[in-house]
């Protein structure tokens, strides 16, 4: 099955620090990856769609300058939370799917997530 | 705005019981409906449904989509304590880039299976 690796799994840092999270598709190429945020006892909320070789597409209400996304290769996307503050503390999860096959969607597979705590 | 609603929000059953989880949706440009199981970390994929009326089955789990009713159910038979988790329903719609679908998630159903 498709494997998505996310690193680090947990980050604790001081307010004002920038934090980079990596998402890798290990056994397939992913033109598109997705970044989600999940607050306690809430569902996953899509933050942005990461496209290899082009700019990310952000959902309404998500600050582009705050959450920088880079998708430099077909197997790696990174999310950088810049100048993080306590309200940015959350569980961040990436996902990726194989390319469409015969015009059909492929399911998204998720990384294990990164728990970010800003003090 | 795309919307996915799951019910019940939580459920406690005894081992061996059968459960049915519900998901309904209102979205634009529907492409697929997916079920995921989330324990402590990230969601793990269970089913992807695109066609109405065709049941997908994996062991004790099965799911079916009804596009007319804009809904889906996830059935778990002979439940075990290891089935305790949050079950998430997500609907895939055409993304802004026109390539892979973006997912809108429901709030999930928290299932607890007791001995």
């Amino acid at each position: 099955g498709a494997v998505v690796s996310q690193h680090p799994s947990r980050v604790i840092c001081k307010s004002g620090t920038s934090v980079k999270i990596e998402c890798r598709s290990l056994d397939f190429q992913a033109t598109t990856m997705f970044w989600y945020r999940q607050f306690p006892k809430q569902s996953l909320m899509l933050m942005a769609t990461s496209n290899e070789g082009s700019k990310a597409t952000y959902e309404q209400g998500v600050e582009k300058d705050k959450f920088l996304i880079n998708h430099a290769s077909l197997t790696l996307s990174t999310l950088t939370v810049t100048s993080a503050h306590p309200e940015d503390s959350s569980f961040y999860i990436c996902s990726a799917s194989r390319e469409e096959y015969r015009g059909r969607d492929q399911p998204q597979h998720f990384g294990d997530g990164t728990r970010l705590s800003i003090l | 705005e795309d919307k996915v609603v799951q019910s019940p929000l939580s459920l406690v059953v005894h081992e061996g019981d059968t459960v049915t989880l519900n998901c309904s949706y209102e979205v634009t440009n529907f492409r697929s409906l997916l079920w995921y199981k989330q324990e402590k970390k990230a969601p793990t994929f269970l089913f992807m449904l695109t066609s109405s009326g065709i049941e997908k089955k994996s062991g004790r789990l099965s799911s079916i989509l009804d596009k007319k009713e804009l809904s889906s159910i996830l059935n778990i038979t002979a439940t075990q304590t290891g089935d305790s988790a949050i079950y998430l329903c997500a609907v895939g719609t055409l993304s802004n880039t026109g390539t892979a679908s973006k997912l809108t998630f429901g709030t999930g159903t928290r299932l607890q299976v007791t001995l």
Side-chain angles (χ1 to χ4, degrees):
Chain A
V3 179
V4 176
S5 172
Q6 190 172 337
H7 178 81
S9 59
R10 186 170 180 95
V11 179
I12 301 173
C13 58
K14 291 182 181 178
S15 189
T17 308
S18 290
V19 177
K20 182 188 276 190
I21 303 169
E22 289 188 352
C23 180
R24 292 180 187 272
S25 55
L26 297 186
D27 56 351
F28 65 100
Q29 293 185 329
T31 308
T32 307
M33 291 184 174
F34 299 87
W35 287 96
Y36 296 83
R37 182 166 51 184
Q38 186 176 33
F39 290 106
K41 297 190 178 179
Q42 293 186 28
S43 195
L44 282 77
M45 295 294 293
L46 179 66
M47 296 174 67
T49 303
S50 170
N51 307 296
E52 188 267 336
S54 64
K55 289 184 180 179
T57 306
Y58 290 82
E59 295 300 301
Q60 198 170 5
V62 178
E63 298 174 57
K64 299 178 185 182
D65 296 330
K66 175 80 172 172
F67 300 100
L68 300 179
I69 291 173
N70 183 279
H71 193 151
S73 77
L74 285 172
T75 59
L76 174 64
S77 175
T78 60
L79 168 69
T80 301
V81 184
T82 61
S83 187
H85 291 286
E87 58 267 27
D88 298 322
S89 298
S90 188
F91 190 51
Y92 292 87
I93 314 176
C94 71
S95 72
S97 60
R98 296 179 184 274
E99 296 299 308
E100 281 191 8
Y101 180 66
R102 294 185 178 173
R104 292 188 175 182
D105 262 356
Q106 298 298 308
Q108 288 182 28
H109 296 273
F110 288 82
D112 278 342
T114 297
R115 191 160 299 283
L116 176 62
S117 300
I118 309 297
L119 305 176
Chain B
E1 185 184 334
D2 294 338
K3 197 185 295 184
V4 178
V5 178
Q6 290 184 248
S7 65
L9 290 180
S10 66
L11 195 53
V12 181
V13 300
H14 293 296
E15 208 173 36
D17 287 351
T18 293
V19 296
T20 298
L21 309 183
N22 302 287
C23 176
S24 62
Y25 60 90
E26 283 180 42
V27 302
T28 307
N29 294 320
F30 173 92
R31 294 192 72 174
S32 56
L33 186 144
L34 298 90
W35 285 96
Y36 289 88
K37 178 182 181 182
Q38 185 175 25
E39 296 174 89
K40 289 184 180 177
K41 291 189 175 179
T44 52
F45 172 72
L46 296 175
F47 297 110
M48 181 174 184
L49 306 159
T50 55
S51 300
S52 210
I54 299 174
E55 185 184 53
K56 291 214 171 178
K57 203 169 167 65
S58 176
R60 296 176 293 104
L61 277 68
S62 64
S63 183
I64 196 162
L65 174 66
D66 186 337
K67 282 187 176 179
K68 194 174 175 186
E69 296 296 324
L70 306 182
S71 65
S72 174
I73 58 170
L74 174 69
N75 279 322
I76 309 175
T77 59
T79 52
Q80 302 171 357
T81 54
D83 295 327
S84 297
I86 297 172
Y87 289 85
L88 295 169
C89 172
V91 174
T93 56
L94 197 62
S95 70
N96 295 334
T97 60
T99 53
S101 291
K102 55 181 273 189
L103 295 182
T104 300
F105 279 84
T107 50
T109 293
R110 185 180 293 272
L111 174 65
Q112 186 179 349
V113 182
T114 62
L115 290 170

